[in-house]
mmCIF file of all heavy atoms in Angstrom:
data_model
loop_
_atom_site.group_PDB
_atom_site.id
_atom_site.type_symbol
_atom_site.label_atom_id
_atom_site.label_comp_id
_atom_site.label_asym_id
_atom_site.label_seq_id
_atom_site.Cartn_x
_atom_site.Cartn_y
_atom_site.Cartn_z
ATOM 1 N N VAL V 3 104.095 99.043 96.358
ATOM 2 C CA VAL V 3 103.146 99.734 97.215
ATOM 3 C C VAL V 3 102.706 101.039 96.493
ATOM 4 O O VAL V 3 103.448 101.565 95.661
ATOM 5 C CB VAL V 3 103.782 100.069 98.602
ATOM 6 C CG1 VAL V 3 104.168 98.784 99.320
ATOM 7 C CG2 VAL V 3 104.969 101.000 98.471
ATOM 8 N N ALA V 4 101.527 101.487 96.849
ATOM 9 C CA ALA V 4 100.995 102.750 96.309
ATOM 10 C C ALA V 4 100.197 103.465 97.326
ATOM 11 O O ALA V 4 99.417 102.838 98.089
ATOM 12 C CB ALA V 4 100.126 102.460 95.066
ATOM 13 N N SER V 5 100.361 104.767 97.371
ATOM 14 C CA SER V 5 99.596 105.628 98.256
ATOM 15 C C SER V 5 98.817 106.622 97.430
ATOM 16 O O SER V 5 99.384 107.373 96.629
ATOM 17 C CB SER V 5 100.540 106.378 99.211
ATOM 18 O OG SER V 5 99.804 107.326 100.013
ATOM 19 N N ILE V 6 97.470 106.579 97.539
ATOM 20 C CA ILE V 6 96.640 107.505 96.753
ATOM 21 C C ILE V 6 96.382 108.756 97.569
ATOM 22 O O ILE V 6 95.831 108.760 98.638
ATOM 23 C CB ILE V 6 95.313 106.852 96.408
ATOM 24 C CG1 ILE V 6 95.521 105.583 95.577
ATOM 25 C CG2 ILE V 6 94.400 107.830 95.661
ATOM 26 C CD1 ILE V 6 94.250 104.878 95.159
ATOM 27 N N GLN V 7 96.892 109.886 97.022
ATOM 28 C CA GLN V 7 96.778 111.175 97.682
ATOM 29 C C GLN V 7 95.534 111.865 97.083
ATOM 30 O O GLN V 7 95.551 112.326 95.947
ATOM 31 C CB GLN V 7 98.024 111.988 97.428
ATOM 32 C CG GLN V 7 98.079 113.336 98.143
ATOM 33 C CD GLN V 7 99.479 113.901 98.183
ATOM 34 O OE1 GLN V 7 100.229 113.588 99.078
ATOM 35 N NE2 GLN V 7 99.791 114.752 97.210
ATOM 36 N N VAL V 8 94.451 111.883 97.831
ATOM 37 C CA VAL V 8 93.141 112.307 97.325
ATOM 38 C C VAL V 8 92.884 113.776 97.561
ATOM 39 O O VAL V 8 93.147 114.289 98.689
ATOM 40 C CB VAL V 8 92.022 111.511 98.006
ATOM 41 C CG1 VAL V 8 90.644 111.956 97.499
ATOM 42 C CG2 VAL V 8 92.192 110.010 97.789
ATOM 43 N N GLU V 9 92.368 114.474 96.521
ATOM 44 C CA GLU V 9 91.987 115.856 96.675
ATOM 45 C C GLU V 9 90.565 115.910 97.261
ATOM 46 O O GLU V 9 89.676 115.214 96.791
ATOM 47 C CB GLU V 9 92.028 116.561 95.320
ATOM 48 C CG GLU V 9 91.588 118.029 95.446
ATOM 49 C CD GLU V 9 91.612 118.763 94.137
ATOM 50 O OE1 GLU V 9 91.885 118.128 93.069
ATOM 51 O OE2 GLU V 9 91.376 119.991 94.123
ATOM 52 N N ILE V 10 90.418 116.707 98.287
ATOM 53 C CA ILE V 10 89.115 116.906 98.912
ATOM 54 C C ILE V 10 88.466 118.193 98.397
ATOM 55 O O ILE V 10 89.035 119.251 98.532
ATOM 56 C CB ILE V 10 89.252 116.947 100.472
ATOM 57 C CG1 ILE V 10 90.042 115.739 100.984
ATOM 58 C CG2 ILE V 10 87.859 117.004 101.100
ATOM 59 C CD1 ILE V 10 89.450 114.382 100.635
ATOM 60 N N LYS V 11 87.315 118.025 97.778
ATOM 61 C CA LYS V 11 86.595 119.165 97.220
ATOM 62 C C LYS V 11 85.255 119.353 97.927
ATOM 63 O O LYS V 11 84.493 118.382 98.042
ATOM 64 C CB LYS V 11 86.304 118.901 95.720
ATOM 65 C CG LYS V 11 87.573 118.562 94.885
ATOM 66 C CD LYS V 11 87.162 118.181 93.474
ATOM 67 C CE LYS V 11 88.344 117.732 92.653
ATOM 68 N NZ LYS V 11 87.937 117.324 91.294
ATOM 69 N N ASP V 12 85.007 120.563 98.436
ATOM 70 C CA ASP V 12 83.720 120.807 99.145
ATOM 71 C C ASP V 12 82.502 120.643 98.287
ATOM 72 O O ASP V 12 81.400 120.415 98.752
ATOM 73 C CB ASP V 12 83.764 122.216 99.731
ATOM 74 C CG ASP V 12 84.785 122.352 100.916
ATOM 75 O OD1 ASP V 12 85.094 121.310 101.502
ATOM 76 O OD2 ASP V 12 85.180 123.461 101.183
ATOM 77 N N THR V 13 82.692 120.739 96.945
ATOM 78 C CA THR V 13 81.579 120.678 96.012
ATOM 79 C C THR V 13 81.217 119.214 95.678
ATOM 80 O O THR V 13 80.264 118.966 94.943
ATOM 81 C CB THR V 13 81.875 121.393 94.727
ATOM 82 O OG1 THR V 13 83.097 120.874 94.147
ATOM 83 C CG2 THR V 13 82.091 122.890 94.971
ATOM 84 N N GLU V 14 82.004 118.273 96.207
ATOM 85 C CA GLU V 14 81.862 116.871 95.825
ATOM 86 C C GLU V 14 81.117 116.095 96.905
ATOM 87 O O GLU V 14 81.417 116.251 98.084
ATOM 88 C CB GLU V 14 83.265 116.297 95.624
ATOM 89 C CG GLU V 14 83.356 115.029 94.836
ATOM 90 C CD GLU V 14 84.812 114.669 94.546
ATOM 91 O OE1 GLU V 14 85.661 114.828 95.435
ATOM 92 O OE2 GLU V 14 85.071 114.250 93.398
ATOM 93 N N SER V 15 80.169 115.264 96.500
ATOM 94 C CA SER V 15 79.451 114.461 97.475
ATOM 95 C C SER V 15 80.294 113.237 97.832
ATOM 96 O O SER V 15 81.269 112.896 97.176
ATOM 97 C CB SER V 15 78.087 113.991 96.891
ATOM 98 O OG SER V 15 78.337 113.040 95.846
ATOM 99 N N LYS V 16 79.900 112.546 98.873
ATOM 100 C CA LYS V 16 80.591 111.300 99.273
ATOM 101 C C LYS V 16 80.606 110.297 98.145
ATOM 102 O O LYS V 16 81.642 109.708 97.863
ATOM 103 C CB LYS V 16 79.888 110.724 100.510
ATOM 104 C CG LYS V 16 80.462 109.378 101.005
ATOM 105 C CD LYS V 16 79.691 108.930 102.241
ATOM 106 C CE LYS V 16 80.167 107.567 102.730
ATOM 107 N NZ LYS V 16 79.431 107.112 103.912
ATOM 108 N N GLU V 17 79.484 110.096 97.497
ATOM 109 C CA GLU V 17 79.381 109.112 96.435
ATOM 110 C C GLU V 17 80.251 109.509 95.229
ATOM 111 O O GLU V 17 80.895 108.674 94.637
ATOM 112 C CB GLU V 17 77.931 108.970 95.969
ATOM 113 C CG GLU V 17 77.718 107.919 94.863
ATOM 114 C CD GLU V 17 78.162 106.515 95.218
ATOM 115 O OE1 GLU V 17 78.146 106.154 96.446
ATOM 116 O OE2 GLU V 17 78.531 105.777 94.316
ATOM 117 N N GLN V 18 80.255 110.788 94.907
ATOM 118 C CA GLN V 18 81.075 111.247 93.767
ATOM 119 C C GLN V 18 82.536 110.968 94.068
ATOM 120 O O GLN V 18 83.300 110.556 93.155
ATOM 121 C CB GLN V 18 80.860 112.729 93.536
ATOM 122 C CG GLN V 18 79.513 113.047 92.908
ATOM 123 C CD GLN V 18 79.216 114.569 92.817
ATOM 124 O OE1 GLN V 18 79.605 115.329 93.725
ATOM 125 N NE2 GLN V 18 78.554 115.010 91.774
ATOM 126 N N ARG V 19 82.967 111.252 95.277
ATOM 127 C CA ARG V 19 84.374 111.074 95.597
ATOM 128 C C ARG V 19 84.746 109.582 95.571
ATOM 129 O O ARG V 19 85.828 109.176 95.140
ATOM 130 C CB ARG V 19 84.728 111.728 96.947
ATOM 131 C CG ARG V 19 86.243 111.771 97.175
ATOM 132 C CD ARG V 19 86.568 112.658 98.396
ATOM 133 N NE ARG V 19 86.110 114.002 98.205
ATOM 134 C CZ ARG V 19 85.418 114.688 99.116
ATOM 135 N NH1 ARG V 19 85.099 114.141 100.278
ATOM 136 N NH2 ARG V 19 85.016 115.902 98.840
ATOM 137 N N ILE V 20 83.866 108.761 96.117
ATOM 138 C CA ILE V 20 84.138 107.313 96.141
ATOM 139 C C ILE V 20 84.282 106.777 94.737
ATOM 140 O O ILE V 20 85.208 106.032 94.407
ATOM 141 C CB ILE V 20 83.011 106.557 96.880
ATOM 142 C CG1 ILE V 20 83.081 106.848 98.377
ATOM 143 C CG2 ILE V 20 83.108 105.041 96.620
ATOM 144 C CD1 ILE V 20 81.939 106.251 99.190
ATOM 145 N N GLU V 21 83.362 107.218 93.815
ATOM 146 C CA GLU V 21 83.454 106.736 92.443
ATOM 147 C C GLU V 21 84.734 107.197 91.770
ATOM 148 O O GLU V 21 85.375 106.454 91.037
ATOM 149 C CB GLU V 21 82.229 107.282 91.648
ATOM 150 C CG GLU V 21 80.934 106.593 92.073
ATOM 151 C CD GLU V 21 79.763 107.162 91.286
ATOM 152 O OE1 GLU V 21 79.967 108.085 90.478
ATOM 153 O OE2 GLU V 21 78.621 106.628 91.479
ATOM 154 N N ARG V 22 85.166 108.402 92.066
ATOM 155 C CA ARG V 22 86.400 108.932 91.484
ATOM 156 C C ARG V 22 87.631 108.172 91.980
ATOM 157 O O ARG V 22 88.538 107.791 91.228
ATOM 158 C CB ARG V 22 86.565 110.453 91.823
ATOM 159 C CG ARG V 22 87.717 111.103 91.165
ATOM 160 C CD ARG V 22 87.560 112.637 91.195
ATOM 161 N NE ARG V 22 87.453 113.139 92.515
ATOM 162 C CZ ARG V 22 88.485 113.364 93.347
ATOM 163 N NH1 ARG V 22 89.692 113.103 92.901
ATOM 164 N NH2 ARG V 22 88.356 113.875 94.524
ATOM 165 N N VAL V 23 87.638 107.872 93.287
ATOM 166 C CA VAL V 23 88.774 107.112 93.882
ATOM 167 C C VAL V 23 88.749 105.689 93.400
ATOM 168 O O VAL V 23 89.813 105.060 93.179
ATOM 169 C CB VAL V 23 88.746 107.247 95.400
ATOM 170 C CG1 VAL V 23 89.733 106.301 96.055
ATOM 171 C CG2 VAL V 23 89.073 108.675 95.839
ATOM 172 N N GLU V 24 87.578 105.102 93.255
ATOM 173 C CA GLU V 24 87.536 103.727 92.754
ATOM 174 C C GLU V 24 88.144 103.630 91.346
ATOM 175 O O GLU V 24 88.816 102.624 91.059
ATOM 176 C CB GLU V 24 86.064 103.230 92.699
ATOM 177 C CG GLU V 24 85.517 102.831 94.070
ATOM 178 C CD GLU V 24 84.182 102.152 93.952
ATOM 179 O OE1 GLU V 24 83.347 102.632 93.144
ATOM 180 O OE2 GLU V 24 83.929 101.182 94.681
ATOM 181 N N ALA V 25 87.950 104.651 90.544
ATOM 182 C CA ALA V 25 88.556 104.647 89.207
ATOM 183 C C ALA V 25 90.072 104.675 89.330
ATOM 184 O O ALA V 25 90.779 104.047 88.551
ATOM 185 C CB ALA V 25 88.073 105.855 88.409
#
Side-chain angles (χ1 to χ4, degrees):
V3 300
S5 175
I6 300 182
Q7 186 164 273
V8 179
E9 181 180 3
I10 308 302
K11 306 174 184 178
D12 290 338
T13 57
E14 199 172 41
S15 70
K16 177 181 178 180
E17 180 60 27
Q18 287 173 326
R19 191 170 299 133
I20 289 174
E21 289 180 357
R22 185 164 60 81
V23 169
E24 281 189 321

